[in-house]
Amino acid sequence: MEEIPVKVAVRIRPLLCKEVLHNHQVCVRVIPNTQQIIIGRDRIFTFDFVFGKSSTQDEVYNTCIKPLVLSLIEGYNVTVFAYGQTGSGKTYTIGGGHVASVVEGQKGIIPRAIQEIFQNISENPSTDFKIKVSYIEVYKEDLRDLLELETSVKDLHIREDEKGNTVIVGAKECQVESADEVMSLLEMGNAARRTSTTQMNEHSSRSHAIFTISICQAEKNTEAAKDGSWSSRQHIVSKFHFVDLAGSERVTKTGNTGERFKESIQINSGLLALGNVISALGDPRRKSSHIPYRDAKITRLLKDSLGGTAKTVMITCVSPSSFNFDESLNSLKYANRARNIRNKPTLNFSPESDRMDEMEFEIKLLREALQSQQASNSQTSQIHREGTPDNRILSLEEQVAQLQGECLGYQHCIEEAFTLLVELKDTVSLNQKQQQKLQEWFNMTQEVRKVIPSSFRGSCGMGNLEEGPQHIRVNQLKRELKKCQVHRHCFYKITCLRTKFIWGH
Ligand code: ADP
Ligand code: MG
């Protein structure tokens, strides 16, 4: 698997009007015709991309983000995150502000990427696309669902799936059909974000926000596509995370007291954890393999993107003002360290075996949900919590129905192969080993044949009712999975045997 470094861009915003009015001096500049930045008199840093005060949104997008959109469509997970001090231009660059009121040229990364993703889809008529959007913020170390504000903090969990990818269990994923729909969800989520006025920034983001677009794609013109079903086709699922971090801030400069002060502490500790992860990953002399991802929610959420399987671009935003010299120097040092981080991007094909894994993972989650319900049940005797597990059961039921359909197909193949092999057995001379293998296959097929009728009797009436409906579903789903796996194994064996007969050894 090829290793590629995290790409690091630095963007220096222009002095703001109020900074000009207060006669702030510029202390950070791009060195013309290079990828270098100079801060103070002689500190020089080199980055993958550098943008000065007159760089446009279009330039930033085309240079850093366009390639990520193409990788997303190819099937890679991709991430862009904006890092930097409060008021340095992160939200402006990512495009997470009041998107509807922003003029075309000022639009940030997210609206441009959305446009391009849908453009790509419309130019790809031979592929079916399913697009989902979610929007989460980490506020004072708690997760909030910006698309479903009623969701309780306790119902959102960061987990790792069976492949080690980070997933947020319980977050609302809205299926969308058009760029406009995505934009209105983005606008809705932005409006719900925690921001407030500090001395450093009129609209200071007080949380880390992660806007995610996930794309599932499958070829249209295949045999399996004819019945319109998604799960019987090989598909690719890839995600684009847009991360707008809350800015690092000095409490003395922001003038924060009370609640704002407490927020500052949480924001800074999250960013400190991120800094530690970047240092640990980016230190070429590092001896220990331990990376402190678990120290904060934001580092857990960015695990795939930093040192993981995604393609990542980090955009470090800096203020040019000498008033912010220390913070800008700090940001540049972090950015420089991040250049040493290496990821191993992988394509996210989702063949049948992966779907089995996904179902097993779902079952694991269901079991855990059930256990925690049973625990709370013993105290409150309230069994049925909000519908999330039920929804999962419904989607699992759909998948099981699809797998049953596939099994019927395999069953048909087994029957055909059985007849064919009986004929061949009498006409082709086989050595002892081949005869033994064939007999084994006959025996195995007989076993499977005994099982098949019962597997299609439907899923009612089994299990111990006292265990509760979810428990019964979990057991039924496990049984269905097992049978599907047996049938698939059998089909695989037939294919091997057929190949051997055809090639005569
Ligand atoms: P952050 O999210 O890092 O706290 P913002 O994105 O909110 O900072 O930017 C602070 C202010 O600076 C905003 O008024 C924004 O419009 C302005 N700004 C940031 N970057 C630029 C830029 N490249 N060009 C013009 N104005 C900018
Ligand atoms: Mg911001």
Side-chain angles (χ1 to χ4, degrees):
M1 210 183 299
E2 197 199 355
E3 275 196 345
I4 62 159
V6 165
K7 293 245 178 351
V8 180
V10 170
R11 184 178 202 186
I12 307 167
R13 68 159 165 75
L15 281 174
L16 303 177
C17 292
K18 62 175 182 187
E19 291 169 331
V20 174
L21 277 175
H22 286 95
N23 216 11
H24 287 204
Q25 299 301 305
V26 168
C27 70
V28 197
R29 289 186 184 82
V30 171
I31 303 178
N33 304 321
T34 67
Q35 299 301 322
Q36 292 182 320
I37 278 186
I38 181 162
I39 180 165
R41 251 182 262 143
D42 52 5
R43 303 289 298 263
I44 292 176
F45 293 90
T46 306
F47 296 101
D48 298 296
F49 315 107
V50 292
F51 301 100
K53 61 177 183 186
S54 45
S55 293
T56 60
Q57 297 281 60
D58 198 39
E59 221 178 308
V60 173
Y61 176 80
N62 281 327
T63 318
C64 305
I65 309 302
K66 212 179 167 89
L68 287 188
V69 172
L70 299 179
S71 293
L72 173 82
I73 306 281
E74 273 176 64
Y76 291 97
N77 288 340
V78 298
T79 300
V80 54
F81 71 96
Y83 180 88
Q85 180 196 5
T86 292
S88 58
K90 298 180 296 298
T91 304
Y92 176 86
T93 301
I94 283 281
H98 293 290
V99 277
S101 57
V102 175
V103 296
E104 193 60 32
Q106 298 286 313
K107 282 199 169 121
I109 286 169
I110 305 181
R112 287 166 197 268
I114 292 170
Q115 213 64 51
E116 182 138 23
I117 290 168
F118 279 92
Q119 175 76 25
N120 263 287
I121 290 172
S122 68
E123 288 165 4
N124 234 327
S126 61
T127 309
D128 276 329
F129 287 90
K130 235 195 243 177
I131 303 190
K132 288 185 193 161
V133 167
S134 67
Y135 201 178
I136 292 290
E137 76 172 349
V138 185
Y139 176 66
K140 295 208 278 186
E141 275 308 272
D142 279 332
L143 294 181
R144 282 180 78 228
D145 190 338
L146 293 173
L147 300 183
E148 188 87 295
L149 293 172
E150 298 86 63
T151 307
S152 154
V153 169
K154 286 187 248 99
D155 291 334
L156 293 168
H157 303 283
I158 307 172
R159 305 293 303 271
E160 267 181 32
D161 69 8
E162 73 291 346
K163 288 188 223 107
N165 295 324
T166 311
V167 287
I168 301 174
V169 178
K172 180 164 183 178
E173 283 194 292
C174 302
Q175 191 161 334
V176 288
E177 305 290 340
S178 68
D180 286 346
E181 234 180 297
V182 186
M183 288 301 287
S184 50
L185 289 171
L186 175 67
E187 185 78 41
M188 186 177 107
N190 287 341
R193 249 194 105 177
R194 305 277 177 146
T195 61
S196 63
T197 302
T198 70
Q199 283 173 25
M200 294 290 293
N201 185 354
E202 202 185 329
H203 302 285
S204 172
S205 322
R206 314 305 293 161
S207 64
H208 311 298
I210 304 186
F211 183 74
T212 304
I213 301 183
S214 67
I215 297 190
C216 182
Q217 43 184 313
E219 283 301 312
K220 264 184 185 160
N221 302 322
T222 62
E223 268 306 301
K226 287 187 185 140
D227 65 359
S229 104
W230 273 79
S231 52
S232 51
R233 283 182 277 167
Q234 189 181 58
H235 49 270
I236 306 174
V237 185
S238 52
K239 291 185 179 183
F240 200 143
H241 293 303
F242 302 87
V243 187
D244 182 11
L245 295 171
S248 53
E249 53 190 26
R250 291 206 170 164
V251 179
T252 45
K253 276 192 178 172
T254 50
N256 289 344
T257 53
E259 195 55 29
R260 295 286 91 78
F261 177 77
K262 282 191 217 151
E263 280 173 0
S264 289
I265 301 294
Q266 299 272 10
I267 291 170
N268 285 340
S269 64
L271 291 168
L272 181 68
L274 179 62
N276 290 339
V277 165
I278 292 176
S279 298
L281 285 167
D283 182 359
R285 291 156 303 170
R286 172 168 58 101
K287 292 204 179 72
S288 143
S289 62
H290 174 69
I291 308 295
Y293 290 113
R294 299 196 73 83
D295 287 0
K297 294 262 163 55
I298 189 65
T299 44
R300 288 185 69 191
L301 289 169
L302 288 178
K303 190 174 170 207
D304 296 343
S305 314
L306 296 169
T309 56
K311 292 191 178 183
T312 300
V313 169
M314 168 183 179
I315 302 184
T316 303
C317 296
V318 291
S319 146
S321 163
S322 50
F323 179 75
N324 297 318
F325 179 91
D326 290 344
E327 289 87 345
S328 298
L329 181 59
N330 241 338
S331 296
L332 292 174
K333 282 184 186 164
Y334 270 138
N336 198 41
R337 223 167 275 163
R339 293 191 72 205
N340 293 326
I341 301 175
R342 298 191 163 265
N343 285 2
K344 289 181 183 156
T346 43
L347 274 173
N348 298 301
F349 281 107
S350 197
E352 197 180 86
S353 62
D354 279 14
R355 279 191 292 118
M356 292 285 185
D357 291 346
E358 277 164 24
M359 286 177 75
E360 271 163 4
F361 180 59
E362 288 282 328
I363 287 173
K364 192 171 144 233
L365 290 177
L366 260 175
R367 278 182 157 274
E368 285 174 10
L370 183 66
Q371 270 165 8
S372 74
Q373 270 193 6
Q374 279 169 344
S376 66
N377 201 15
S378 62
Q379 292 172 342
T380 61
S381 80
Q382 178 205 339
I383 300 175
H384 222 73
R385 303 260 312 268
E386 287 102 275
T388 356
D390 284 350
N391 287 342
R392 281 207 205 99
I393 288 171
L394 273 178
S395 93
L396 278 168
E397 275 175 345
E398 273 172 26
Q399 290 183 46
V400 166
Q402 270 153 2
L403 281 170
Q404 281 182 330
E406 277 174 43
C407 281
L408 273 173
Y410 291 151
Q411 189 191 351
H412 183 67
C413 289
I414 293 173
E415 296 300 332
E416 286 218 333
F418 194 88
T419 322
L420 179 69
L421 290 172
V422 170
E423 271 175 43
L424 286 171
K425 189 170 169 251
D426 300 330
T427 50
V428 179
S429 70
L430 299 172
N431 64 30
Q432 205 182 354
K433 204 170 158 203
Q434 286 169 329
Q435 276 175 6
Q436 193 191 337
K437 279 206 150 178
L438 188 59
Q439 195 51 51
E440 276 172 18
W441 185 82
F442 280 133
N443 294 345
M444 187 173 66
T445 311
Q446 293 296 5
E447 283 301 308
V448 174
R449 282 172 143 195
K450 274 187 229 156
V451 183
I452 283 173
S454 63
S455 69
F456 292 102
R457 268 181 212 145
S459 48
C460 52
M462 292 185 300
N464 176 1
L465 278 173
E466 281 170 22
E467 286 177 316
Q470 295 188 354
H471 210 110
I472 296 167
R473 291 300 307 139
V474 169
N475 287 337
Q476 284 169 350
L477 287 166
K478 283 192 83 173
R479 278 198 294 273
E480 297 298 347
L481 255 179
K482 193 103 210 129
K483 282 167 198 164
C484 294
Q485 280 164 340
V486 169
H487 298 158
R488 200 174 48 157
H489 178 65
C490 196
F491 181 68
Y492 172 74
K493 286 241 163 189
I494 296 167
T495 317
C496 295
L497 273 165
R498 267 186 169 174
T499 316
K500 276 185 189 161
F501 274 119
I502 288 164
W503 295 101
H505 52 78

